[in-house]
Amino acid sequence: MSGRVEGKVAFVTGAARNQGRSHAIRLAQEGADIIAVDICEPVPSIEMYPPATEEDLAQTAKLIEELDRRVVTTKVDVRDSAGLQAAVDAGVAELGRLDIVCANAGVFEIQPALELTDSAWREMIDINLTGVWNTCRAALPHLVAGGRGGSIVITSSTAGLKGTPNTVHYTAAKHGVVGIMRTIANEFASHSIRCNTVHPTGVNTVMIQNEKTWGLFEPDNAHPTRESAAPIFESTNALPVPWVEPIDISNAILFLASDEARYITGVTLPVDAGYTVK
Amino acid sequence: MGKLEGKVALVTGAARGQGRSHALRLAEEGADIIAVDICAQVDTVAYPMSTRADLDETVAEVEKLDRRIVAHVADVRDEKALNAAVADGVAALGGVDIVLANAGIASIGVAEDGNEAAVFRTLIDINLTGVWNTVHAAAPTMIEQGRGGAIVLTSSTQGLTGRGGDGSGAMDGYCAAKHGVVGLMRTFAHWLAPHNIRVNSVHPTGVNTPMIVNPVVESFLAESADVGDALANLMDVPVIEARDVSNAIAWLVSDEGRYVTGTTLPVDAGFVVR
Ligand SMILES: NC(=O)c1ccc[n+]([C@@H]2O[C@H](COP(=O)([O-])OP(=O)(O)OC[C@H]3O[C@@H](n4cnc5c(N)ncnc54)[C@H](O)[C@@H]3O)[C@@H](O)[C@H]2O)c1
Ligand SMILES: NC(=O)c1ccc[n+]([C@@H]2O[C@H](COP(=O)([O-])OP(=O)(O)OC[C@H]3O[C@@H](n4cnc5c(N)ncnc54)[C@H](O)[C@@H]3O)[C@@H](O)[C@H]2O)c1
């Protein structure tokens, strides 16, 4: 049976690990070749969880090759628009086309609003908002030139639909990408280029599985753990689960990227166990 | 193996159009079907509605896929008949896991002089109260079974915008009912989440079915150019196919959508974002 995105090429940012890796693999399982990029380095204002590494990105590439799909990887920062453009151009030159974009790279940090430094604000906006635009900017000329349409999926968050304390920079950026999505959906519809956002609730990755995030959910516990925080996470979702897995986001993105969703565009799709409806 | 192997799906309005397409799409993924349709004309509807022969055709096509189907003629406004149809299907097929509240009408093109209130009320009765009846006919069984489940309510772009409104009972009733369906979806999502039953709504733009592809609607749109413009899609496609809505529903009700609940999913070629 042919895959749901057979013969297509997907560009995935933040592909070194966790959700980005999962998206790359899920798309490859369904027949896509992958252009994978990641910063593979620490970002100064992000202190609560460890950065991805070049080994992580190499491991993503290995897992894709084991699926008999081709992969082109580049270590590049989504803030570096020229570097990002070069990475996409090189990927398209090697793989022959571009159809799917997953603007997934992002960072997260918890900070009370009035303690946020200028540089932490700027770094967050630069990566999580401008980085998403840079990603779309680098990819769109290839999608247009291909003349076959395309599908862009931007990873926002429930914080792109709802406000939460202590994350003003993250929440602002994640709301901002919805504006990018809605504009692209309108501006490129005539090229059959679709653009949608996904809005995950907590996903089981280091981004939330760290002591500072557990503490946000359990402010009265001096030594919060994954186990002690889980019921509080669960109480924020409607469905009886504390968080979802990267594969759940990948399955939503695969659907949006595939022809099954050929007329879905301009949509904010929560994959959030009912967080935003609660 | 199909994504819905071993599941049973209740589909209302299954005689033709989107309901038939959903029944077939889910059956392709392995589900057995409980099909319900009124198979009769409603007098505030200007286009011909489905017939028993249409429902029989759905049955034949599902059976061709080697899936079981129990079909009943019932009006979603008639709680008793609906409950009996669902109970019979549940008994025959071993439960119910999926509910698609899809049955609905439009009253575009109906002569309303002095009849506005009846047009409005019938739209609310079928397109809103009928959805409420449908979910309540199945949910107690789903809760009792304890095996989770998924419910999709068919709203419309008219459940998210009022574009094209013209003060007629037909437009007001349709838009109000389809917005009301979103309210039901959200409250059901809360009610049923502890039972691992997910509830979402889909919002199609114009779909290539007898509801809008008929001489009555075509001449209405031709005569009201403003409304026609207001109802144009963002993507360059005049209407989508029933299959496009079925694909979205098949994804929502499968395990791939296991943590998607409480969402309004447009399948609308960019109608709402335009
Ligand atoms: N984990 C959650 O609970 C959660 C919830 C909602 C949304 N998200 C979003 O999902 C996306 C993926 O996060 P994850 O959970 O997989 O976390 P993660 O930290 O494991 O993955 C993010 C990846 O992006 C890369 N990255 C960060 N900054 C970059 C930059 N400037 N340029 C290039 N690559 C960069 C990182 O190196 C990392 O590999 C992020 O956009 C995040 O905001 C996460
Ligand atoms: N076709 C469109 O452009 C469009 C767009 C958005 C939403 N919708 C919605 O999609 C759903 C399916 O419509 P369709 O396009 O397949 O049209 P359709 O007329 O082909 O199908 C609707 C089916 O519902 C049945 N039905 C109507 N009233 C009923 C009742 N009281 N009890 C039981 N069955 C009843 C009809 O007999 C028919 O078989 C409806 O809810 C409609 O409002 C349609």
Side-chain angles (χ1 to χ4, degrees):
Chain A
M1 208 176 92
S2 108
R4 290 157 69 187
V5 288
E6 194 75 43
K8 304 207 171 177
V9 174
F11 170 38
V12 183
T13 67
R17 68 180 185 189
N18 292 324
Q19 292 184 62
R21 177 188 283 173
S22 173
H23 304 339
I25 291 172
R26 189 75 189 90
L27 291 163
Q29 283 171 343
E30 295 291 338
D33 293 331
I34 308 293
I35 302 168
V37 305
D38 202 289
I39 188 174
C40 305
E41 263 181 30
V43 170
S45 65
I46 308 305
E47 293 171 341
M48 64 186 195
Y49 59 93
T53 63
E54 290 189 62
E55 292 72 53
D56 290 330
L57 186 58
Q59 177 65 12
T60 297
K62 180 168 170 277
L63 292 168
I64 292 165
E65 280 162 357
E66 281 172 11
L67 293 167
D68 256 342
R69 304 311 322 171
R70 293 180 298 165
V71 57
V72 177
T73 60
T74 306
K75 175 178 179 306
V76 66
D77 186 333
V78 293
R79 288 170 292 182
D80 169 8
S81 55
L84 200 59
Q85 186 71 61
V88 179
D89 292 352
V92 173
E94 185 161 343
L95 301 176
R97 57 189 283 166
L98 186 65
D99 306 276
I100 297 162
V101 179
C102 300
N104 161 81
V107 293
F108 180 48
E109 184 65 46
I110 293 165
Q111 207 62 257
L114 299 182
E115 291 168 24
L116 198 61
T117 62
D118 289 355
S119 64
W121 167 269
R122 208 171 302 120
E123 208 156 59
M124 179 64 75
I125 299 298
D126 284 350
I127 296 175
N128 283 16
L129 180 59
T130 311
V132 166
W133 166 240
N134 289 343
T135 301
C136 296
R137 174 71 184 79
L140 276 162
H142 292 290
L143 297 179
V144 170
R148 292 174 294 258
S151 174
I152 300 174
V153 186
I154 297 172
T155 299
S156 176
S157 163
T158 51
L161 298 170
K162 240 179 156 169
T164 35
N166 305 306
T167 62
V168 68
H169 53 341
Y170 185 79
T171 301
K174 291 298 188 184
H175 272 70
V177 300
V178 174
I180 294 176
M181 177 278 282
R182 291 195 173 123
T183 304
I184 290 176
N186 275 281
E187 198 163 336
F188 293 89
S190 58
H191 297 278
S192 294
I193 294 168
R194 301 181 291 107
C195 189
N196 299 286
T197 46
V198 290
H199 299 264
T201 184
V203 185
N204 189 13
T205 76
V206 283
M207 195 175 269
I208 60 160
Q209 302 299 8
N210 59 70
E211 201 170 334
K212 195 165 172 190
T213 308
W214 299 327
L216 179 70
F217 281 76
E218 257 196 307
D220 298 335
N221 186 343
H223 301 288
T225 63
R226 178 191 170 102
E227 286 65 37
S228 68
I232 324 290
F233 274 87
E234 182 164 328
S235 71
T236 67
N237 293 330
L239 291 173
V241 289
W243 40 70
V244 304
E245 299 296 330
I247 188 68
D248 296 304
I249 314 307
S250 305
N251 280 328
I253 289 174
L254 170 63
F255 166 69
L256 289 171
S258 77
D259 287 345
E260 289 164 37
R262 65 185 174 156
Y263 296 130
I264 299 185
T265 192
V267 168
T268 53
L269 179 62
V271 183
D272 71 349
Y275 177 98
T276 45
V277 83
K278 189 155 172 166
Chain B
M1 202 179 105
K3 286 192 235 174
L4 302 173
E5 214 71 47
K7 311 259 186 209
V8 177
L10 165 65
V11 184
T12 66
R16 69 173 193 196
Q18 293 177 61
R20 179 190 285 170
S21 171
H22 302 338
L24 293 173
R25 182 75 187 81
L26 268 46
E28 279 172 19
E29 295 291 345
D32 291 329
I33 308 293
I34 304 171
V36 170
D37 204 290
I38 189 172
C39 301
Q41 195 62 32
V42 169
D43 61 12
T44 57
V45 171
Y47 54 85
M49 290 177 58
S50 70
T51 62
R52 178 72 219 204
D54 291 327
L55 186 58
D56 290 342
E57 176 62 23
T58 299
V59 169
E61 291 187 30
V62 168
E63 285 174 344
K64 245 188 264 162
L65 294 168
D66 251 345
R67 304 314 322 168
R68 295 179 297 165
I69 177 167
V70 174
H72 284 282
V73 173
D75 185 335
V76 293
R77 289 171 294 183
D78 179 351
E79 263 175 87
K80 260 176 124 173
L82 191 60
N83 290 341
V86 173
D88 184 56
V90 164
L93 301 175
V96 57
D97 306 279
I98 294 163
V99 176
L100 307 185
N102 160 82
I105 57 164
S107 292
I108 290 179
V110 171
E112 289 196 10
D113 292 334
N115 202 28
E116 294 83 355
V119 170
F120 181 86
R121 201 175 308 116
T122 307
L123 280 158
I124 301 295
D125 286 348
I126 294 179
N127 290 7
L128 181 58
T129 312
V131 169
W132 185 73
N133 288 338
T134 300
V135 172
H136 280 280
T141 305
M142 295 170 80
I143 292 170
E144 195 187 307
Q145 287 169 170
R147 55 192 203 215
I151 297 175
V152 182
L153 312 183
T154 297
S155 176
S156 164
T157 49
Q158 287 291 314
L160 298 171
T161 83
R163 240 177 255 166
D166 62 1
S168 64
M171 286 300 221
D172 294 356
Y174 194 82
C175 187
K178 292 299 188 184
H179 272 72
V181 164
V182 174
L184 287 182
M185 180 279 284
R186 291 195 173 123
T187 192
F188 290 158
H190 274 259
W191 169 39
L192 296 169
H195 305 284
N196 246 311
I197 298 168
R198 301 179 295 104
V199 190
N200 297 285
S201 54
V202 289
H203 300 263
T205 184
V207 186
N208 184 11
T209 71
M211 179 178 282
I212 63 160
V213 182
N214 63 62
V216 180
V217 171
E218 279 157 17
S219 74
F220 172 81
L221 289 177
E223 282 160 26
S224 354
D226 291 358
V227 177
D229 286 351
L231 298 183
N233 292 326
L234 176 61
M235 292 180 80
D236 184 20
V237 55
V239 291
I240 64 172
E241 298 300 325
R243 182 84 179 174
D244 294 308
V245 184
S246 305
N247 282 335
I249 288 176
W251 175 73
L252 278 172
V253 304
S254 76
D255 277 350
E256 290 184 14
R258 65 182 174 161
Y259 297 130
V260 180
T261 192
T263 71
T264 52
L265 179 61
V267 184
D268 71 348
F271 182 95
V272 171
V273 82
R274 186 175 136 239

